[in-house]
Amino acid sequence: MQTLLLKGNQIDEAGAILRKGGLVAIPTETVYGLAANALDGSTVAKIFEAKGRPQDNPLIVHIADISEIDNLVAYVPPVLYDLADAFWPGPLTIILDKSDLVPDEVTAGLDTVAIRMPSHPVARKIIRAAGVPLAAPSANASGKPSPTTAAHVIKDMDGKIDAIVDGGPCEVGVESTVITLAARKPRLLRPGRITPEEIEEVIGDELIIDDAVLGRLKEGEKAASPGMKYKHYSPSADVVIVKGTLENFAKFVNERAGEDAAALVFDGEEDKIKCKTKNFGEENDDLAHAAKLFDALRACDDEGVGTLYVRCPGDEGVGLAVMNRLLRAADFHIEEV
Ligand code: TXA
Ligand code: MG
C-alpha cells in the first residue's frame, strides 16, 4: 500500500479517507494516533493488523464535541461533566459503560469504552471532517515507543496505512491520563499530563491509583487496563534506570559502558559521562522529560544502542507518567547507586 503524506492543513483529504474506511495517522497533543471510524468494526479491525496489536487491548474513541458522548455510553455520571469542563479538550481519557453503538472491535469485547476529546487543532478538525468519532491507539508498531513526530510514524507505519498527517512534534509527548468512572470508585489506570492531584480537586474524592501504575502485574493477575500488561514503550536497547546522585550515576555508567552504550541524562551532565549521551531536559522539568522521552528511546534504536542507562527522574506530578513509561521500557530494571 502507498501511504500518502499529508500536511496539517489537508483536513478534507484526511476526512475523506476516514469516511471511506481508511486508516489515517493524526497528530494529537500527546502522541500521534492511528485513526479509523470508531463505529465500523471491520475498519477498526485493520488498526490491530497494521500495528500488530494484541486483540484483547481496547482502543480509545476520540470525539470533538461533548454531545457525541451520549451515543457512545450507556450512562453519563454527573462528574463526567465536571471533568470535561476542567480538562476537555485535552489529554484525559475517561472510561464509561459503553452503548450498543460501539463495536466489540473497539472495546476488545469489554462492556466499557474509553473516550477522549483531544485539544490538538488538527485532530479536532479531522474528527469533524470525518463526521464520526475516531478510534485511535498510538500510531506505533505494537511494543515500540509511541510516536511523537510524523517521522516516527513513517518509520513504523509506511506502507501499512492510507495516510499520515504531519502536524509537527507533539507537545506533551506521553499518552493521555486514563481514568475509569465505570468502577465503584474513580481509579487511575495510566498516568499522563493531567495529574492525580488535578483530578482529585475536580471530583472532590480520592482517585485510587491502580497497582499497575508503578508496579509490575503479578503472574495471572487481571489488568484493569489491558494495555498495562504488555512490555510497552520498549526500545531494542536494554534500558537500566539508575537511581542516585550524578556522581554515583557517572561512576556506575563509566565503569560498565561498552561500545554500544548510551546514557540519558539531564541538561549539563553530559561531560561527566564517558559514553554517548542523550538529554531529556533539566533535572526538575517533568514536562521536558515527558516531551523528550520517546524521541530519545527511538533515537537509541536508530543508532543501534545496546544498553541505555537512564538518570532516574522524580515521580511527582507529570513525573509519575514519565516513570510509568520508563519502568516498562526498562522491564522494571532499577539500580540504586
Ligand atoms: O494520548 C493518548 O491516549 C493516545 C492518543 C492517540 O490519543 N492514544 C493512546 O492509545 O495512547 P493506546 O491504545 O496506545 O492506549 C490506550 C490505553 C491502553 O492501555 C488500553 O488498554 C486502555 O487505554 N483502554 C482502552 N479502552 C479501555 C477500556 N474500555 N478499559 C480499560 N482500559 C482501556
Ligand atoms: Mg499505545
Side-chain angles (χ1 to χ4, degrees):
M1 172 187 303
Q2 172 95 18
T3 301
L4 207 58
L5 289 181
L6 299 175
K7 299 219 167 18
N9 59 4
Q10 292 181 282
I11 303 294
D12 294 343
E13 288 89 333
I17 296 169
L18 288 162
R19 278 199 306 278
K20 275 187 264 171
L23 302 188
V24 181
I26 64 169
T28 84
E29 70 278 18
T30 55
V31 301
Y32 276 75
L34 180 53
N37 177 354
L39 304 182
D40 177 355
S42 61
T43 297
V44 170
K46 294 194 285 187
I47 292 179
F48 287 83
E49 207 175 302
K51 281 185 57 105
R53 184 179 176 99
Q55 298 288 341
D56 64 349
N57 195 4
L59 308 180
I60 295 171
V61 176
H62 297 69
I63 60 175
D65 291 285
I66 189 80
S67 59
E68 292 172 71
I69 209 165
D70 295 332
N71 284 328
L72 300 171
V73 308
Y75 166 72
V76 186
V79 69
L80 182 280
Y81 295 107
D82 298 329
L83 287 165
D85 272 346
F87 303 119
W88 278 358
L92 175 67
T93 295
I94 302 176
I95 294 172
L96 297 163
D97 288 325
K98 84 176 197 77
S99 75
D100 293 339
L101 201 66
V102 182
D104 281 340
E105 286 82 355
V106 170
T107 63
L110 297 177
D111 45 23
T112 53
V113 60
I115 299 183
R116 151 161 143 79
M117 187 193 295
S119 62
H120 196 295
V122 174
R124 294 172 61 72
K125 285 181 202 160
I126 291 175
I127 299 167
R128 291 204 170 110
V132 285
L134 297 178
S138 49
N140 52 293
S142 196
K144 288 286 152 199
S146 290
T148 55
T149 66
H152 296 162
V153 182
I154 293 170
K155 175 119 202 188
D156 284 13
M157 290 296 151
D158 192 27
K160 297 182 180 161
I161 61 177
D162 297 281
I164 297 169
V165 181
D166 187 348
C170 303
E171 191 188 329
V172 177
V174 294
E175 308 86 345
S176 61
T177 305
V178 178
I179 65 168
T180 180
L181 297 181
R184 227 165 10 92
K185 283 276 215 170
R187 178 182 286 266
L188 177 77
L189 302 184
R190 181 176 74 181
R193 172 69 183 82
I194 309 287
T195 65
E197 296 75 26
E198 289 174 303
I199 293 168
E200 285 181 332
E201 204 159 300
V202 171
I203 63 180
D205 192 2
E206 184 196 7
L207 180 70
I208 295 168
I209 311 283
D210 198 88
D211 287 345
V213 167
L214 287 182
R216 193 205 286 269
L217 278 178
K218 291 169 201 76
E219 198 73 39
E221 196 174 344
K222 189 168 171 289
S225 181
M228 298 271 216
K229 73 182 175 208
Y230 299 106
K231 183 185 169 190
H232 221 155
Y233 318 108
S234 177
S236 311
D238 286 324
V239 177
V240 184
I241 304 168
V242 184
K243 189 171 182 180
T245 60
L246 170 59
E247 209 169 43
N248 292 345
F249 176 88
K251 184 160 179 283
F252 183 91
V253 173
N254 291 340
E255 278 170 8
R256 285 169 181 73
E259 289 260 298
D260 65 349
L264 180 56
V265 299
F266 303 128
D267 267 356
E269 298 180 347
E270 290 84 350
D271 57 358
K272 298 263 192 308
I273 311 296
K274 296 213 177 89
C275 64
K276 166 157 74 178
T277 57
K278 309 264 165 222
N279 162 314
F280 67 159
E282 304 223 342
E283 179 159 9
N284 293 318
D285 190 349
D286 53 359
L287 292 177
H289 303 161
K292 295 180 173 191
L293 178 65
F294 289 152
D295 186 59
L297 295 179
R298 282 181 166 263
C300 288
D301 271 2
D302 293 345
E303 296 165 25
V305 170
T307 308
L308 176 68
Y309 299 99
V310 183
R311 279 274 271 150
C312 185
D315 62 4
E316 297 290 306
V318 181
L320 185 64
V322 175
M323 271 311 280
N324 169 276
R325 307 317 189 263
L326 256 183
L327 282 165
R328 282 166 177 73
D331 203 14
F332 294 87
H333 184 176
I334 300 197
E335 297 282 344
E336 305 230 12
V337 295

